[in-house]
Amino acid sequence: MSDRRKFLKISALAAGGVALGRCALPENDNNSAALPNQASDNQHEVPFVMSTWRHGIAANAAAFEVLKAGGTALDAAEVGVRVTEADMTNRSVGLGGLPDREGRVTLDACIMDHDSRCGAVAFLEKIMHPVSVARAVMEHTPHVMLVGPGAYAFARERGFEPIDFKVPLPEAERAWQEWLRNSEYRPEPNIENHDTIGILTRDAEGRIAGACTTSGMAYKMHGRVGDSPIIGSGLFVDGEVGGAVATGLGEAVMRVAGCSAVVETMRAGASPEEACREIVERVLRKHPEAEATELQVGFLAMDRAGRYGGYSVRKGFNYACTAAGEDRLIDTGYLRAE
Ligand code: SD4
């Protein structure tokens, strides 16, 4: 967080009003039942950045610098999440992340712009910035997605150097060793109040772009790929409509093609927050066991009119938003308080 910027943590969901250039301030706690879609009028000026979780604060700051200097939404999205990927204290994004059950740190990422150009990598090891490899897939191949050794070989061809330190990092290795004692896989919602980073950016020209990057669920099966690098699940942008990013249990997001569904719901007329809420409700409908498993899924969305919002299955999901002179950390509405 830059010195000039002070993030204010607020409960989301202003009742009604449109707040240009800033996030609307709350009048109520974020119990969605009491506030049916009232935050849907949150609106921003350009440029604007929003991203998942508290770690989005630092990502937004970097992305916003790009936008302020006249950079594109696409550049800003990439630069923003690279900050999180490089943060070796982060246990859910980048090479500082927790490993899979074999002790390997495997990374997933994707990026997409307003013209529906997109790139993705999955199951990638030893490369610091999977989002930049994803962008290279988009710009330098006829494909959208490369995975595993193929993604690694492509990254090396494009000049990405492998890291020269051992992963998992010692702390992540210790956590994995501890986990191995019981080897019980149980996705935890809202781990340490941060998780995958998904970012949406809007530049001075009004173009929207997004990126999503993660080390995936801790202790996943080796080879498992979640929603985050899947265009339409962890991220979707359509310049005619808007964009969405997801966080949480990837399997649940993939089963409803989450971010594509959010964007299509906006296309049909819903505001970003209404759309996020509708797809969160769909996630729960498709997962009747969700109460027992404590499933968490959250979406963020913005539309081309400048409206933005988010919603989650459970309490605890928040996002950072940054506009000229204003930064906020906002708790989203949710369907389940526990
Ligand atoms: C995944 N959606 O791999 C990502 C990680 C995440 O809460 O957001 N976990 O499923």
Side-chain angles (χ1 to χ4, degrees):
M1 179 166 51
S2 86
D3 294 335
R4 288 172 292 111
R5 295 178 176 276
K6 187 170 188 316
F7 262 81
L8 302 177
K9 185 173 187 312
I10 65 174
S11 295
L13 310 190
V18 173
L20 280 174
R22 66 182 180 82
C23 304
L25 289 166
E27 293 185 357
N28 292 288
D29 191 12
N30 55 354
N31 182 331
S32 61
L35 287 167
N37 299 323
Q38 286 174 320
S40 305
D41 292 330
N42 280 353
Q43 193 151 353
H44 65 81
E45 293 171 334
V46 290
F48 180 74
V49 183
M50 67 192 298
S51 63
T52 54
W53 305 106
R54 178 176 287 277
H55 55 200
I57 294 170
N60 282 15
F64 198 74
E65 287 302 312
V66 172
L67 296 176
K68 243 180 24 186
T72 65
L74 185 69
D75 285 344
E78 180 188 2
V79 165
V81 301
R82 279 173 63 101
V83 171
T84 324
E85 288 179 340
D87 177 1
M88 290 297 126
T89 67
N90 191 311
R91 297 283 164 261
S92 51
V93 177
L95 290 164
L98 292 168
D100 65 18
R101 60 188 56 186
E102 311 294 327
R104 309 266 287 266
V105 180
T106 67
L107 306 179
D108 301 337
C110 69
I111 191 162
M112 189 164 194
D113 77 3
H114 65 289
D115 282 332
S116 302
R117 296 190 319 146
C118 50
V121 291
F123 194 48
L124 177 64
E125 294 181 80
K126 299 191 178 100
I127 297 289
M128 180 74 88
H129 290 299
V131 72
S132 297
V133 185
R135 182 168 178 174
V137 171
M138 172 178 117
E139 293 180 336
H140 301 291
T141 80
H143 305 306
V144 167
M145 187 174 208
L146 294 176
V147 305
Y152 179 80
F154 170 72
R156 296 289 292 116
E157 271 169 34
R158 294 296 314 172
F160 293 87
E161 293 296 331
I163 46 146
D164 58 2
F165 54 90
K166 179 184 170 308
V167 293
L169 297 179
E171 191 186 309
E173 170 111 20
R174 279 197 296 278
W176 171 59
Q177 294 288 355
E178 185 62 29
W179 177 82
L180 280 177
R181 290 166 177 238
N182 297 317
S183 301
E184 187 192 341
Y185 180 66
R186 189 162 163 272
E188 287 178 52
N190 310 326
I191 301 176
E192 298 172 15
N193 197 26
H194 64 72
D195 221 308
T196 293
I197 185 156
I199 195 167
L200 294 169
T201 53
R202 192 147 178 265
D203 62 27
E205 308 292 320
R207 292 172 298 213
I208 291 174
C212 188
T213 179
T214 188
S215 53
M217 304 301 293
Y219 321 129
K220 59 194 175 185
M221 288 178 70
H222 189 60
R224 179 264 190 190
V225 170
D227 62 314
S228 301
I230 307 294
I231 298 297
S233 280
L235 168 70
F236 197 64
V237 177
D238 183 329
E240 296 170 2
V241 180
V245 289
T247 184
L249 184 66
E251 284 73 4
V253 177
M254 292 157 88
R255 283 167 69 175
V256 300
C259 286
S260 168
V262 170
V263 171
E264 293 312 311
T265 306
M266 291 194 291
R267 194 193 306 273
S271 72
E273 183 171 326
E274 288 166 349
C276 291
R277 177 175 174 147
E278 188 168 325
I279 305 311
V280 162
E281 287 170 346
R282 187 178 302 171
V283 166
L284 267 188
R285 276 203 310 282
K286 302 290 179 190
H287 294 78
E289 75 284 9
E291 299 301 334
T293 60
E294 298 184 341
L295 167 144
Q296 174 65 309
V297 166
F299 295 106
L300 302 183
M302 66 166 70
D303 68 13
R304 57 175 296 189
R307 298 179 299 177
Y308 63 92
Y311 221 84
S312 59
V313 171
R314 286 178 198 284
K315 187 176 181 178
F317 177 41
N318 53 23
Y319 65 98
C321 66
T322 300
E326 290 282 342
D327 306 285
R328 294 284 188 278
L329 188 64
I330 300 178
D331 294 332
T332 67
Y334 49 83
L335 297 177
R336 299 283 181 265
E338 298 303 330

